[in-house]
Amino acid sequence: MASGGPSARGLGLGSLAAVPDEALCRVLEFLGPRDVLAAACASKVMRLYCLEEALWLRLALDACPKEVRWAGSWRGTALQAWKSMGKEMLHEIQPRAIPHVKGFESNFLYNRWYRSNVDVRTFYPAQESVPRVNAAGMTAQEFHDKFDTTSKPVVLEGLLRGWPAMSWTIESLAKRHSNELFIVNVPGQSSKDMKLRDLADYLLGQHDEQPLYLFDSDFGVKTPDLLGDYSVPNVFADDLLSALGSARPPFRWLLIGPPRSGAPWHLDPTATSAWNALLKGHKRWALYPPGVIPPAVTFTADEDPSSQDVDFSGPTALQWFLEVLPTLSPEQLPVECVQRPGDVIFVPAGWWHCVLNLEVSIAVTQNFVSRANLPDAIRFMAKGPHAYYSTLYGEADGPSRDSGTGNDGARLPTVGCPWLGTFLKTLYTEIPACKELVWRSGCNELWCDYWFHVLTHICAEAQLPSPHEKDSFPLALKDDWVFRTGEYIVKIFGGKDPLESILRLTAEEHSYSRAESTQTAVQSCMPRLISSGLAPRRHTFPNSKASCPSLERNGKRHKADPHADLPYLVVSASEGSPLSRCFGALEFEQQVQVAVALGRVTATLHRMLSAPCCAALAKTEGSEGGGALSRRGPSASSNATGEGEGELSGMVAIGEGGLQFATEADLAEWMGTLLDGGARLWHAGKESRFWWASGKGAFSAYADHSSTIANHKSELFPVNVRWRSDVDESARLGDWYPFVAFLRWRRAAAAEEDWAARDMPPGLAAQVRDYLPDDPAELLGLGARRPGPRDRPPRWLHGDLTHDNVLVDSAIVRPGCPVKTSGLGAQVSTAGLEGPVQIIDFADAGHGDPLYDFVAVHISSLLCTDALTSAFLGAYDTSGDALSLWPDRRGLPLSYCAMCYMLLHEEDALERAMELRPELAEAGSLRQVQEGLWGVLDQWW
């Protein structure tokens, strides 16, 4: 190239020559295949960029909504997918050679080409530092003593003798399961599906810097015969997570990858240990001990304990071995080894590891919790990854029962893993050797000793048998904490303040009371109310000076207010497994059976109009520090809102439009009086905000933390409610005011929502504001008019009919269980409704549009399966008069109304729907999403 003359790159790119190669390649990734092909015609240099295989990998994966069908190259794969969608193409599918451009140079493209073609078959470490042991005769106890308790990684030989899986090849597996879809990891994207025959062809023809890597945790369900080809090595028999049975989260994987594929630096989830058995090929491993972050790697974790996700950032495995490892000093080097066919490597909990496949490799791996790492696993599950790793890597200690929950203003501690209590209770009762260790960890992380005293108090108040220690492990601990003692469920309500807790308690208590007082058939499919009340916080930990858990508010730590009692509910225990845990184990006919039963139960619930039942909640006289809630007549209602004749003794007005309550019991009494006096109510499940309407008017209310309570020393949880009367809407909307006001509140929030940040395609996200009606009252046919004779009143809704709140009879869950026609409900009459489902958790109940309940049913409980939703609708409308109970929408399609409810829903209903139906992301408009997701409603009615 002549000095001072224009470069080949400059001549070929023109004004684009000012853009660095890395940025230019990144920009091209945002174009579609048609535009890239058009750009390739601009010049030989541009064609060189446009034909790069790394670019077409991205374009192909974008063009394949879910399944990748390999067509010899990524360009061929992309154009084949483009053609299958009926899109116009400019060139033939067969890839043309990349042109030779004299004088063209690019370090960026060369480095990417090198990493895509480098031969790593002999890429062995200079020295292997992970010990290698013949474990053919090793016992589980020997392994526990030598390696597990000492947290030492080791390569174990001689454990796979006799495994049929040792004869696996990609070709033999593809022949056995030619049409089965497996999950492959895609660099920088979500996972895709791929058939093994396509994967086999891909492994032979690919030249990718980051190849696709089959990493499937569902292979045991899809191909159960493969599980029969191997067994868990005897030295790993101490697998405590197995106690969860079918409720166990993903724990085993089938791994198939070509050379250069692998796993970058990471830590295994929830502080678990792992074993990896290599069947074919060779793998290079590098490991760092707990507390040592690998060079060039960073990681972050959400501060919310309920999020168990950790984001690891750093180079790929290949890049790290090629570019980072050679720069390290001897003190910075990791321990390394090469895993050969027949080897099993043990990775203790907390050890960082990076894996590079040197050849086409096939392996099976499994994560587990043993007695050695159980305390760490429990701590991780309880605190969440942010607090757990902050402790391990030198930052301030995470929250504990004596240092606060880390959840600003929460009335109950926030625990990361929702099934932790169930796991510990199972270990405590079924594995005697773990009993002491589990109880100690439960007291440290879940406050079990404290909850034992609280349960003892509640059982005494409700005149129930005294609880056992094992009852102190919570069954659920997300928003509310749920315990089981004998044949009863004790639910302690959480929330940011007393108003949210009392709202949820009142809604649930009213649901059970109303079903009982009206002798509604749905009563047989829901728990029976035993007692409700307020449990005092003033308890002392055994052998501890702490009086109760600490809570944190506004950055300051406080002891939990002994005046801020814990609202609770006691109901009969409903037997069965949550639909979330057993749905995948059911045959399709059984799923239909569940859908039919759920439809009939839901219809009966919606026919149960809430009406006055002459009852209110009040504090039992003479109870110390809390007490049970008893019944009292409507004369106790408050004239502060024009309801009733008398004043509540524990309530005073805070100027115009405000109420102040001395205790939660007084607030509970007022809330119960509103509902039992016939008011219609709806409340925001995640906010201390509610709306109600009665013969005296329509009101909106919210918790007010700015005022203090007279004669109340604590300012931690002031029980204040601000309210305002909505006179105009009271006359126009009547009983529909609470639900419409909620929808309007959500509509205002939707206008400010960043929909693209919720994994919604940008093209669809831009349409949301115009798609939703300006006034959501139009969804009920009440846009600019008053309700008339044709309008029906709001119905009593469950409000949260998700898969966690639908229990399935355990008899139907057993593998191979035939579909029964009696007892489990295929021939169920609406008079008895004895069926395979029970509905629990009415804390989000309120008066509203029955269609709103369908959002959770269709998306969460029935997983967007139209056939199941059709079965549900058929059972719901058995009598043919279901729509006569619904609002007159003045011609609006039900599919449009349901779509709007999904967008306005407080939960992430949209994200879940997109996850279940990924093809919806390809829709060109929200109307198309509406038809694809909710068209089943229009087809039925």
Side-chain angles (χ1 to χ4, degrees):
M1 184 168 56
S3 176
S7 67
R9 185 178 185 277
L11 289 173
L13 294 181
S15 59
L16 286 178
V19 181
D21 284 343
E22 184 174 2
L24 179 59
C25 291
R26 182 65 177 146
V27 169
L28 289 174
E29 291 178 5
F30 288 93
L31 303 180
R34 191 176 189 278
D35 294 329
V36 171
L37 289 173
C41 299
S43 69
K44 283 188 176 181
V45 172
M46 181 57 78
R47 185 173 181 81
L48 188 151
Y49 286 93
C50 291
L51 290 185
E52 194 193 18
E53 192 72 340
L55 168 63
W56 284 95
L57 181 151
R58 297 294 180 184
L59 297 178
L61 295 177
D62 289 341
C64 301
K66 190 60 178 173
E67 181 185 354
V68 177
R69 297 182 178 179
W70 180 248
S73 69
W74 283 119
R75 180 169 177 246
T77 302
L79 295 180
Q80 176 178 265
W82 194 254
K83 182 178 181 180
S84 68
M85 293 187 290
K87 302 295 181 72
E88 180 184 357
M89 296 192 305
L90 296 179
H91 294 278
E92 71 282 359
I93 290 179
Q94 289 76 20
R96 295 169 63 181
I98 297 178
H100 173 71
V101 181
K102 185 177 181 180
F104 177 84
E105 296 178 355
S106 171
N107 287 334
F108 174 78
L109 293 182
Y110 171 76
N111 288 335
R112 191 146 77 170
W113 173 86
Y114 174 78
R115 291 192 297 265
S116 299
N117 291 273
V118 61
D119 187 353
V120 295
R121 286 176 296 180
T122 59
F123 198 45
Y124 286 14
Q127 181 178 359
E128 297 189 38
S129 46
V130 177
R132 181 175 289 271
V133 175
N134 188 331
M138 184 180 292
T139 65
Q141 187 62 46
E142 288 176 325
F143 171 79
H144 174 81
D145 295 339
K146 292 181 179 179
F147 302 105
D148 201 2
T149 58
T150 58
S151 186
K152 292 181 179 179
V154 62
V155 176
L156 302 172
E157 300 174 341
L159 292 177
L160 309 189
R161 294 171 185 168
W163 276 21
M166 288 298 296
S167 64
W168 287 356
T169 64
I170 183 63
E171 293 78 16
S172 66
L173 292 176
K175 187 175 181 180
R176 288 171 65 174
H177 299 285
S178 59
N179 294 316
E180 193 64 55
L181 290 172
F182 289 83
I183 300 172
V184 293
N185 279 356
V186 178
Q189 294 193 19
S190 58
S191 60
K192 300 284 186 180
D193 288 339
M194 203 171 191
K195 291 185 173 70
L196 284 179
R197 62 170 180 263
D198 283 322
L199 181 63
D201 291 340
Y202 167 79
L203 296 182
L204 295 175
Q206 65 84 27
H207 287 283
D208 293 334
E209 177 185 351
Q210 300 180 63
L212 301 187
Y213 191 15
L214 190 151
F215 203 86
D216 197 322
S217 62
D218 295 330
F219 80 98
V221 176
K222 294 180 291 191
T223 55
D225 60 303
L226 297 184
L227 297 180
D229 287 354
Y230 75 95
S231 59
V232 176
N234 68 295
V235 296
F236 304 114
D238 190 13
D239 184 2
L240 301 179
L241 282 176
S242 62
L244 287 172
S246 61
R248 183 175 185 172
F251 67 100
R252 62 185 170 209
W253 290 265
L254 172 65
L255 313 177
I256 302 178
R260 299 183 305 281
S261 65
W265 285 104
H266 67 283
L267 296 163
D268 282 338
T270 58
T272 54
S273 298
W275 58 264
N276 181 298
L278 185 60
L279 310 175
K280 284 289 181 294
H282 288 73
K283 292 175 180 283
R284 181 174 177 176
W285 289 73
L287 303 96
Y288 282 104
V292 179
I293 301 177
V297 175
T298 61
F299 72 109
T300 58
D302 195 322
E303 293 190 23
D304 180 3
S306 64
S307 172
Q308 298 284 297
D309 295 331
V310 182
D311 293 325
F312 301 98
S313 299
T316 66
L318 178 62
Q319 284 180 313
W320 196 89
F321 280 111
L322 285 175
E323 300 171 11
V324 178
L325 182 62
T327 69
L328 301 182
S329 65
E331 295 77 18
Q332 295 176 300
L333 293 176
V335 294
E336 290 192 81
C337 67
V338 172
Q339 187 182 17
R340 297 165 175 82
D343 288 347
V344 178
I345 186 169
F346 166 63
V347 182
W351 276 75
W352 290 86
H353 46 288
C354 174
V355 189
L356 179 66
N357 289 318
L358 307 181
E359 302 170 354
V360 173
S361 300
I362 303 177
V364 289
T365 186
Q366 184 163 317
N367 287 54
F368 67 98
V369 172
S370 67
R371 287 169 293 166
N373 67 313
L374 179 62
D376 276 332
I378 294 174
R379 191 174 303 114
F380 186 106
M381 296 176 198
K383 294 179 180 294
H386 182 271
Y388 177 84
Y389 289 132
S390 294
T391 303
L392 187 61
Y393 290 95
E395 297 180 19
D397 196 358
S400 68
R401 75 173 185 187
D402 294 325
S403 63
T405 64
N407 185 24
D408 186 22
R411 293 162 57 80
L412 290 179
T414 301
V415 174
C417 183
W419 45 265
L420 176 56
T422 302
F423 174 50
L424 296 184
K425 187 171 186 176
T426 303
L427 295 182
Y428 183 92
T429 55
E430 297 184 5
I431 305 180
C434 293
K435 186 173 182 179
E436 182 179 348
L437 177 60
V438 168
W439 177 253
R440 185 167 62 250
S441 295
C443 292
N444 288 337
E445 309 302 341
L446 297 181
W447 306 272
C448 289
D449 43 359
Y450 171 73
W451 294 120
F452 178 73
H453 285 261
V454 173
L455 290 176
T456 300
H457 173 90
I458 291 174
C459 289
E461 289 285 339
Q463 299 181 352
L464 300 178
S466 298
H468 299 285
E469 270 190 355
K470 63 181 176 63
D471 300 332
S472 305
F473 295 102
L475 302 180
L477 33 69
K478 188 177 180 183
D479 298 320
D480 309 313
W481 285 44
V482 180
F483 303 84
R484 177 163 183 166
T485 172
E487 299 303 314
Y488 305 98
I489 295 293
V490 178
K491 183 176 184 178
I492 297 177
F493 290 83
K496 293 183 289 297
D497 52 49
L499 179 58
E500 183 180 343
S501 300
I502 295 300
L503 278 169
R504 294 168 57 78
L505 167 65
T506 304
E508 187 149 11
E509 197 271 350
H510 183 78
S511 298
Y512 300 136
S513 297
R514 183 64 189 147
E516 181 179 359
S517 63
T518 58
Q519 297 297 307
T520 308
V522 76
Q523 185 182 0
S524 64
C525 295
M526 59 192 293
R528 178 172 54 89
L529 178 65
I530 305 299
S531 176
S532 60
L534 298 167
R537 286 180 178 270
R538 195 185 296 276
H539 289 299
T540 302
F541 286 112
N543 304 318
S544 172
K545 296 181 180 180
S547 59
C548 54
S550 300
L551 299 177
E552 187 171 308
R553 184 175 180 79
N554 299 327
K556 299 180 180 179
R557 289 177 180 174
H558 304 268
K559 286 296 180 185
D561 182 5
H563 297 283
D565 297 326
L566 299 170
Y568 71 84
L569 196 74
V570 183
V571 297
S572 60
S574 297
E575 303 300 334
S577 301
L579 198 57
S580 57
R581 296 184 184 176
C582 66
F583 189 85
L586 299 178
E587 300 292 338
F588 179 73
E589 291 80 4
Q590 295 171 315
Q591 294 175 354
V592 171
Q593 185 181 350
V594 170
V596 167
L598 182 58
R600 292 179 176 174
V601 172
T602 306
T604 307
L605 172 66
H606 288 170
R607 285 179 168 85
M608 185 183 74
L609 263 178
S610 178
C613 55
C614 299
L617 294 173
K619 190 171 180 177
T620 302
E621 298 294 334
S623 61
E624 179 182 355
L629 298 177
S630 62
R631 292 294 186 178
R632 197 159 79 183
S635 62
S637 60
S638 163
N639 65 14
T641 59
E643 299 291 324
E645 302 296 333
E647 291 270 7
L648 295 182
S649 59
M651 181 186 73
V652 296
I654 311 176
E656 183 68 22
L659 300 174
Q660 186 179 75
F661 301 89
T663 66
E664 280 95 332
D666 298 312
L667 175 61
E669 181 179 355
W670 178 67
M671 289 297 307
T673 299
L674 286 178
L675 270 178
D676 294 336
R680 305 302 185 219
L681 177 141
W682 190 269
H683 64 104
K686 302 299 183 183
E687 299 286 341
S688 301
R689 185 180 297 271
F690 69 105
W691 302 264
W692 81 93
S694 68
K696 299 299 182 179
F699 306 88
S700 63
Y702 62 93
D704 178 15
H705 299 294
S706 62
S707 304
T708 58
I709 296 178
N711 301 320
H712 191 189
K713 295 180 180 180
S714 172
E715 297 181 9
L716 179 58
F717 292 125
V719 191
N720 301 323
V721 177
R722 290 285 180 185
W723 60 273
R724 68 177 180 85
S725 175
D726 202 336
V727 178
D728 295 337
E729 292 302 278
S730 171
R732 192 173 75 83
L733 296 173
D735 287 350
W736 279 105
Y737 169 78
F739 188 68
V740 171
F742 163 76
L743 294 178
R744 288 171 174 170
W745 176 66
R746 291 294 302 155
R747 175 65 175 86
E752 305 298 327
E753 183 83 38
D754 182 3
W755 292 93
R758 295 175 58 178
D759 294 332
M760 192 178 194
L764 298 178
Q767 303 174 32
V768 172
R769 292 173 181 82
D770 293 332
Y771 179 86
L772 292 170
D774 292 334
D775 184 358
E778 296 175 16
L779 302 174
L780 303 163
L782 300 173
R785 64 176 187 84
R786 298 184 178 184
R790 295 171 56 192
D791 293 294
R792 294 89 176 182
R795 316 306 298 186
W796 186 250
L797 311 184
H798 181 279
D800 192 27
L801 279 174
T802 60
H803 57 186
D804 289 323
N805 295 330
V806 177
L807 302 185
V808 179
D809 192 305
S810 57
I812 200 175
V813 178
R814 289 195 295 267
C817 173
V819 178
K820 298 183 179 180
T821 57
S822 62
L824 286 178
Q827 301 293 331
V828 180
S829 68
T830 55
L833 285 182
E834 296 84 0
V837 302
Q838 293 272 319
I839 298 177
I840 61 172
D841 189 359
F842 285 77
D844 294 303
H847 298 92
D849 181 0
L851 184 60
Y852 191 80
D853 265 349
F854 277 57
V855 173
V857 169
H858 182 56
I859 296 177
S860 178
S861 293
L862 302 182
L863 303 183
C864 295
T865 308
D866 286 351
L868 296 180
T869 299
S870 293
F872 172 93
L873 295 172
Y876 183 91
D877 194 31
T878 300
S879 60
D881 66 344
L883 288 186
S884 67
L885 305 175
W886 288 25
D888 183 356
R889 304 178 201 278
R890 300 300 194 267
L892 274 182
L894 287 177
S895 60
Y896 172 71
C897 298
M899 181 74 179
C900 290
Y901 283 161
M902 180 184 72
L903 294 172
L904 296 173
H905 209 279
E906 287 187 280
E907 302 295 337
D908 293 329
L910 172 65
E911 293 182 29
R912 180 59 174 156
M914 290 290 187
E915 178 184 337
L916 292 168
R917 300 279 292 274
E919 73 276 7
L920 296 176
E922 304 298 318
S925 69
L926 288 176
R927 292 287 178 180
Q928 293 177 358
V929 177
Q930 167 193 323
E931 294 168 2
L933 188 60
W934 299 105
V936 63
L937 291 171
D938 296 334
Q939 295 168 11
W940 189 263
W941 285 312

